[in-house]
Amino acid sequence: CPLARAGKGAGAHGEMEDSSKEALMEEAPPRYTESPRLPCIPHELKSLLLMVALVLVALVVVNVSFLLLGLHLSESHAETVLRMSIHGLDGEGTPQKLAMSRKERTGTFAVRDGLNASAAVVYDYSKLLVGYRSWRHRACYMTRVDKDNFPGLDAVTETFQRRQGEDGGDKAVPLADRSILGTTINILCSAVPVFWA
């Protein structure tokens, strides 16, 4: 009985029909090609290649570290130079305020003028002028500058304050034509006379 044979493990799958056996016998078995083998690399050469790879990785890490350190140092240096130009070389003094206008190419600093007074210094890079307006004196002072040699804030402030102290107002003639001044300086000095320093 077929069921009994199947129960013994020799069932329908165990018996193959003659036609299928013949079909299998007629086909040639598939040919397998041997996969190409990598050449044997001696252990010493493997160690050498590993060491070279580690050295290259270490060099890349060291170079990237030095580049990042250089970037950090140059950024710190730029901040220090800006801080020194605003506070002075010794780092003492009150911090200055800066306002920039890209459209008009001006920079405006608020500086001290005496003990309890302030003043404004305007660098006009398009017209090559530097202006000074003290809030305790009723005058503005201008000076022309060389485009390759703009004076520092401390030097400009000292020059204008000295000129302001010397000016008795009796022999100085104010500027009549204000069209040569930029918009920022014109607004800053609109209510007071403008003198060349």
Side-chain angles (χ1 to χ4, degrees):
C1 132
L3 292 175
R5 283 186 200 158
K8 291 183 180 177
H13 296 291
E15 295 178 359
M16 299 182 90
E17 295 181 9
D18 290 336
S19 62
S20 65
K21 282 183 185 179
E22 290 173 6
L24 286 176
M25 296 298 280
E26 289 175 4
E27 290 181 16
R31 291 190 179 189
Y32 297 105
T33 57
E34 187 176 342
S35 62
R37 289 188 177 192
L38 293 175
C40 287
I41 300 175
H43 181 67
E44 295 82 22
L45 187 58
K46 285 182 184 178
S47 299
L48 180 65
L49 289 175
L50 181 63
M51 289 300 290
V52 168
L54 289 175
V55 167
L56 287 176
V57 168
L59 285 174
V60 168
V61 168
V62 167
N63 284 338
V64 168
S65 299
F66 276 117
L67 288 174
L68 291 175
L69 180 65
L71 179 66
H72 174 71
L73 290 176
S74 65
E75 183 179 314
S76 299
H77 178 70
E79 288 176 5
T80 303
V81 168
L82 180 61
R83 192 175 301 116
M84 286 171 53
S85 67
I86 291 175
H87 291 290
L89 293 177
D90 56 358
E92 299 292 324
T94 59
Q96 307 297 330
K97 304 293 183 202
L98 168 66
M100 297 289 293
S101 171
R102 287 187 187 200
K103 181 180 176 184
E104 297 176 24
R105 298 186 61 211
T106 60
T108 305
F109 288 90
V111 296
R112 294 185 78 131
D113 183 22
L115 187 59
N116 292 322
S118 64
V121 177
V122 177
Y123 285 85
D124 191 333
Y125 299 101
S126 61
K127 303 223 179 245
L128 299 175
L129 293 172
V130 178
Y132 179 85
R133 163 78 193 268
S134 172
W135 300 111
R136 66 183 179 141
H137 296 283
R138 303 244 340 122
C140 272
Y141 296 93
M142 295 283 115
T143 187
R144 291 197 182 277
V145 292
D146 183 23
K147 74 174 183 176
D148 296 326
N149 188 17
F150 271 84
L153 184 61
D154 292 335
V156 165
T157 304
E158 183 181 332
T159 301
F160 283 130
Q161 287 176 351
R162 187 176 50 239
R163 171 72 168 96
Q164 182 175 274
E166 294 171 358
D167 188 18
D170 52 352
K171 52 189 167 180
V173 178
L175 182 67
D177 182 17
R178 292 180 178 236
S179 64
I180 62 170
L181 305 177
T183 306
T184 305
I185 296 176
N186 261 322
I187 291 172
L188 184 68
C189 302
S190 60
V192 294
V194 179
F195 298 99
W196 289 105

mmCIF file of all heavy atoms in Angstrom, residues 46-75:
data_model
loop_
_atom_site.group_PDB
_atom_site.id
_atom_site.type_symbol
_atom_site.label_atom_id
_atom_site.label_comp_id
_atom_site.label_asym_id
_atom_site.label_seq_id
_atom_site.Cartn_x
_atom_site.Cartn_y
_atom_site.Cartn_z
ATOM 1 N N LYS A 46 51.930 41.429 5.255
ATOM 2 C CA LYS A 46 50.652 41.902 5.816
ATOM 3 C C LYS A 46 50.916 42.867 6.963
ATOM 4 O O LYS A 46 50.277 43.915 7.066
ATOM 5 C CB LYS A 46 49.815 40.722 6.313
ATOM 6 C CG LYS A 46 49.167 39.921 5.233
ATOM 7 C CD LYS A 46 48.330 38.814 5.856
ATOM 8 C CE LYS A 46 47.737 37.911 4.801
ATOM 9 N NZ LYS A 46 46.960 36.810 5.390
ATOM 10 N N SER A 47 51.836 42.549 7.817
ATOM 11 C CA SER A 47 52.173 43.422 8.954
ATOM 12 C C SER A 47 52.719 44.758 8.465
ATOM 13 O O SER A 47 52.380 45.813 8.995
ATOM 14 C CB SER A 47 53.204 42.752 9.854
ATOM 15 O OG SER A 47 52.696 41.557 10.378
ATOM 16 N N LEU A 48 53.567 44.692 7.427
ATOM 17 C CA LEU A 48 54.137 45.919 6.879
ATOM 18 C C LEU A 48 53.048 46.806 6.276
ATOM 19 O O LEU A 48 53.022 48.023 6.506
ATOM 20 C CB LEU A 48 55.196 45.584 5.824
ATOM 21 C CG LEU A 48 55.882 46.781 5.167
ATOM 22 C CD1 LEU A 48 56.696 47.548 6.209
ATOM 23 C CD2 LEU A 48 56.743 46.340 4.015
ATOM 24 N N LEU A 49 52.123 46.219 5.515
ATOM 25 C CA LEU A 49 51.028 46.991 4.920
ATOM 26 C C LEU A 49 50.136 47.595 6.000
ATOM 27 O O LEU A 49 49.692 48.747 5.887
ATOM 28 C CB LEU A 49 50.206 46.107 3.978
ATOM 29 C CG LEU A 49 50.885 45.709 2.672
ATOM 30 C CD1 LEU A 49 50.010 44.729 1.894
ATOM 31 C CD2 LEU A 49 51.171 46.935 1.831
ATOM 32 N N LEU A 50 49.872 46.840 7.050
ATOM 33 C CA LEU A 50 49.067 47.363 8.155
ATOM 34 C C LEU A 50 49.773 48.540 8.826
ATOM 35 O O LEU A 50 49.137 49.553 9.142
ATOM 36 C CB LEU A 50 48.786 46.244 9.162
ATOM 37 C CG LEU A 50 47.932 46.632 10.355
ATOM 38 C CD1 LEU A 50 46.544 47.057 9.881
ATOM 39 C CD2 LEU A 50 47.839 45.488 11.338
ATOM 40 N N MET A 51 51.076 48.450 9.023
ATOM 41 C CA MET A 51 51.825 49.543 9.637
ATOM 42 C C MET A 51 51.811 50.793 8.750
ATOM 43 O O MET A 51 51.656 51.910 9.243
ATOM 44 C CB MET A 51 53.277 49.110 9.909
ATOM 45 C CG MET A 51 53.417 48.099 11.025
ATOM 46 S SD MET A 51 52.803 48.713 12.591
ATOM 47 C CE MET A 51 54.025 49.927 12.958
ATOM 48 N N VAL A 52 51.978 50.592 7.438
ATOM 49 C CA VAL A 52 51.939 51.732 6.508
ATOM 50 C C VAL A 52 50.571 52.404 6.557
ATOM 51 O O VAL A 52 50.466 53.639 6.597
ATOM 52 C CB VAL A 52 52.305 51.279 5.076
ATOM 53 C CG1 VAL A 52 51.992 52.359 4.067
ATOM 54 C CG2 VAL A 52 53.769 50.892 4.996
ATOM 55 N N ALA A 53 49.508 51.610 6.578
ATOM 56 C CA ALA A 53 48.157 52.180 6.645
ATOM 57 C C ALA A 53 47.961 52.950 7.942
ATOM 58 O O ALA A 53 47.396 54.061 7.944
ATOM 59 C CB ALA A 53 47.114 51.075 6.510
ATOM 60 N N LEU A 54 48.434 52.418 9.053
ATOM 61 C CA LEU A 54 48.306 53.119 10.335
ATOM 62 C C LEU A 54 49.105 54.412 10.357
ATOM 63 O O LEU A 54 48.649 55.428 10.882
ATOM 64 C CB LEU A 54 48.746 52.199 11.477
ATOM 65 C CG LEU A 54 47.792 51.039 11.800
ATOM 66 C CD1 LEU A 54 48.406 50.133 12.861
ATOM 67 C CD2 LEU A 54 46.453 51.561 12.248
ATOM 68 N N VAL A 55 50.288 54.385 9.770
ATOM 69 C CA VAL A 55 51.104 55.612 9.711
ATOM 70 C C VAL A 55 50.409 56.674 8.863
ATOM 71 O O VAL A 55 50.382 57.848 9.224
ATOM 72 C CB VAL A 55 52.523 55.291 9.181
ATOM 73 C CG1 VAL A 55 53.272 56.555 8.813
ATOM 74 C CG2 VAL A 55 53.304 54.491 10.209
ATOM 75 N N LEU A 56 49.824 56.278 7.725
ATOM 76 C CA LEU A 56 49.112 57.248 6.883
ATOM 77 C C LEU A 56 47.916 57.845 7.613
ATOM 78 O O LEU A 56 47.678 59.053 7.549
ATOM 79 C CB LEU A 56 48.658 56.581 5.582
ATOM 80 C CG LEU A 56 49.767 56.278 4.568
ATOM 81 C CD1 LEU A 56 49.199 55.523 3.370
ATOM 82 C CD2 LEU A 56 50.432 57.558 4.116
ATOM 83 N N VAL A 57 47.160 57.017 8.323
ATOM 84 C CA VAL A 57 46.017 57.534 9.094
ATOM 85 C C VAL A 57 46.506 58.494 10.174
ATOM 86 O O VAL A 57 45.916 59.560 10.388
ATOM 87 C CB VAL A 57 45.212 56.359 9.702
ATOM 88 C CG1 VAL A 57 44.219 56.858 10.729
ATOM 89 C CG2 VAL A 57 44.494 55.589 8.604
ATOM 90 N N ALA A 58 47.597 58.144 10.840
ATOM 91 C CA ALA A 58 48.135 59.028 11.879
ATOM 92 C C ALA A 58 48.589 60.363 11.283
ATOM 93 O O ALA A 58 48.352 61.420 11.874
ATOM 94 C CB ALA A 58 49.299 58.338 12.588
ATOM 95 N N LEU A 59 49.227 60.341 10.108
ATOM 96 C CA LEU A 59 49.652 61.586 9.463
ATOM 97 C C LEU A 59 48.462 62.463 9.095
ATOM 98 O O LEU A 59 48.496 63.682 9.271
ATOM 99 C CB LEU A 59 50.482 61.281 8.219
ATOM 100 C CG LEU A 59 51.915 60.806 8.469
ATOM 101 C CD1 LEU A 59 52.570 60.413 7.159
ATOM 102 C CD2 LEU A 59 52.719 61.895 9.155
ATOM 103 N N VAL A 60 47.407 61.861 8.595
ATOM 104 C CA VAL A 60 46.207 62.631 8.245
ATOM 105 C C VAL A 60 45.603 63.261 9.495
ATOM 106 O O VAL A 60 45.237 64.442 9.502
ATOM 107 C CB VAL A 60 45.188 61.728 7.516
ATOM 108 C CG1 VAL A 60 43.844 62.408 7.416
ATOM 109 C CG2 VAL A 60 45.701 61.349 6.134
ATOM 110 N N VAL A 61 45.530 62.487 10.575
ATOM 111 C CA VAL A 61 44.965 63.021 11.824
ATOM 112 C C VAL A 61 45.819 64.165 12.352
ATOM 113 O O VAL A 61 45.301 65.206 12.774
ATOM 114 C CB VAL A 61 44.823 61.888 12.869
ATOM 115 C CG1 VAL A 61 44.525 62.446 14.249
ATOM 116 C CG2 VAL A 61 43.741 60.915 12.443
ATOM 117 N N VAL A 62 47.144 64.024 12.305
ATOM 118 C CA VAL A 62 48.042 65.083 12.794
ATOM 119 C C VAL A 62 47.908 66.339 11.926
ATOM 120 O O VAL A 62 47.828 67.456 12.446
ATOM 121 C CB VAL A 62 49.504 64.576 12.828
ATOM 122 C CG1 VAL A 62 50.484 65.717 13.015
ATOM 123 C CG2 VAL A 62 49.668 63.544 13.928
ATOM 124 N N ASN A 63 47.858 66.171 10.606
ATOM 125 C CA ASN A 63 47.708 67.337 9.716
ATOM 126 C C ASN A 63 46.396 68.055 9.950
ATOM 127 O O ASN A 63 46.358 69.298 10.009
ATOM 128 C CB ASN A 63 47.824 66.904 8.251
ATOM 129 C CG ASN A 63 49.257 66.632 7.843
ATOM 130 O OD1 ASN A 63 50.185 67.123 8.464
ATOM 131 N ND2 ASN A 63 49.434 65.833 6.799
ATOM 132 N N VAL A 64 45.313 67.319 10.072
ATOM 133 C CA VAL A 64 44.013 67.958 10.322
ATOM 134 C C VAL A 64 44.026 68.673 11.665
ATOM 135 O O VAL A 64 43.509 69.783 11.797
ATOM 136 C CB VAL A 64 42.877 66.905 10.243
ATOM 137 C CG1 VAL A 64 41.578 67.458 10.780
ATOM 138 C CG2 VAL A 64 42.689 66.432 8.814
ATOM 139 N N SER A 65 44.662 68.065 12.662
ATOM 140 C CA SER A 65 44.749 68.707 13.982
ATOM 141 C C SER A 65 45.523 70.016 13.905
ATOM 142 O O SER A 65 45.107 71.023 14.483
ATOM 143 C CB SER A 65 45.431 67.768 14.976
ATOM 144 O OG SER A 65 44.687 66.592 15.126
ATOM 145 N N PHE A 66 46.655 70.021 13.186
ATOM 146 C CA PHE A 66 47.430 71.253 13.045
ATOM 147 C C PHE A 66 46.660 72.326 12.271
ATOM 148 O O PHE A 66 46.731 73.512 12.598
ATOM 149 C CB PHE A 66 48.780 70.989 12.381
ATOM 150 C CG PHE A 66 49.827 70.531 13.344
ATOM 151 C CD1 PHE A 66 50.393 69.276 13.218
ATOM 152 C CD2 PHE A 66 50.249 71.346 14.382
ATOM 153 C CE1 PHE A 66 51.350 68.845 14.109
ATOM 154 C CE2 PHE A 66 51.212 70.927 15.274
ATOM 155 C CZ PHE A 66 51.762 69.669 15.147
ATOM 156 N N LEU A 67 45.923 71.924 11.248
ATOM 157 C CA LEU A 67 45.118 72.901 10.506
ATOM 158 C C LEU A 67 44.039 73.516 11.393
ATOM 159 O O LEU A 67 43.823 74.732 11.364
ATOM 160 C CB LEU A 67 44.487 72.247 9.281
ATOM 161 C CG LEU A 67 45.440 71.905 8.134
ATOM 162 C CD1 LEU A 67 44.705 71.118 7.054
ATOM 163 C CD2 LEU A 67 46.038 73.166 7.556
ATOM 164 N N LEU A 68 43.373 72.698 12.178
ATOM 165 C CA LEU A 68 42.342 73.226 13.078
ATOM 166 C C LEU A 68 42.955 74.110 14.155
ATOM 167 O O LEU A 68 42.389 75.150 14.514
ATOM 168 C CB LEU A 68 41.553 72.084 13.705
ATOM 169 C CG LEU A 68 40.648 71.309 12.746
ATOM 170 C CD1 LEU A 68 40.006 70.129 13.451
ATOM 171 C CD2 LEU A 68 39.582 72.211 12.153
ATOM 172 N N LEU A 69 44.114 73.721 14.664
ATOM 173 C CA LEU A 69 44.796 74.543 15.661
ATOM 174 C C LEU A 69 45.207 75.890 15.060
ATOM 175 O O LEU A 69 45.042 76.942 15.677
ATOM 176 C CB LEU A 69 46.015 73.801 16.204
ATOM 177 C CG LEU A 69 46.838 74.541 17.259
ATOM 178 C CD1 LEU A 69 46.009 74.739 18.518
ATOM 179 C CD2 LEU A 69 48.106 73.765 17.561
ATOM 180 N N GLY A 70 45.733 75.861 13.831
ATOM 181 C CA GLY A 70 46.105 77.110 13.159
ATOM 182 C C GLY A 70 44.908 78.015 12.933
ATOM 183 O O GLY A 70 44.986 79.231 13.111
ATOM 184 N N LEU A 71 43.784 77.426 12.547
ATOM 185 C CA LEU A 71 42.564 78.219 12.358
ATOM 186 C C LEU A 71 42.130 78.853 13.665
ATOM 187 O O LEU A 71 41.775 80.038 13.715
ATOM 188 C CB LEU A 71 41.459 77.330 11.795
ATOM 189 C CG LEU A 71 40.118 77.978 11.548
ATOM 190 C CD1 LEU A 71 40.236 79.019 10.448
ATOM 191 C CD2 LEU A 71 39.090 76.940 11.175
ATOM 192 N N HIS A 72 42.182 78.075 14.747
ATOM 193 C CA HIS A 72 41.797 78.608 16.054
ATOM 194 C C HIS A 72 42.735 79.738 16.485
ATOM 195 O O HIS A 72 42.283 80.777 16.980
ATOM 196 C CB HIS A 72 41.802 77.488 17.091
ATOM 197 C CG HIS A 72 41.550 77.963 18.483
ATOM 198 N ND1 HIS A 72 40.318 78.407 18.894
ATOM 199 C CD2 HIS A 72 42.387 78.085 19.541
ATOM 200 C CE1 HIS A 72 40.399 78.793 20.165
ATOM 201 N NE2 HIS A 72 41.646 78.600 20.570
ATOM 202 N N LEU A 73 44.045 79.539 16.279
ATOM 203 C CA LEU A 73 45.000 80.577 16.669
ATOM 204 C C LEU A 73 44.837 81.849 15.849
ATOM 205 O O LEU A 73 44.930 82.953 16.382
ATOM 206 C CB LEU A 73 46.429 80.053 16.551
ATOM 207 C CG LEU A 73 46.836 78.994 17.575
ATOM 208 C CD1 LEU A 73 48.245 78.497 17.292
ATOM 209 C CD2 LEU A 73 46.738 79.535 18.984
ATOM 210 N N SER A 74 44.589 81.708 14.542
ATOM 211 C CA SER A 74 44.417 82.911 13.725
ATOM 212 C C SER A 74 43.138 83.647 14.113
ATOM 213 O O SER A 74 43.101 84.874 14.130
ATOM 214 C CB SER A 74 44.408 82.554 12.242
ATOM 215 O OG SER A 74 43.293 81.755 11.934
ATOM 216 N N GLU A 75 42.088 82.906 14.463
ATOM 217 C CA GLU A 75 40.848 83.542 14.911
ATOM 218 C C GLU A 75 41.067 84.252 16.240
ATOM 219 O O GLU A 75 40.629 85.389 16.430
ATOM 220 C CB GLU A 75 39.761 82.478 15.053
ATOM 221 C CG GLU A 75 38.417 83.037 15.453
ATOM 222 C CD GLU A 75 37.375 81.937 15.563
ATOM 223 O OE1 GLU A 75 37.309 81.088 14.662
ATOM 224 O OE2 GLU A 75 36.648 81.932 16.565
#
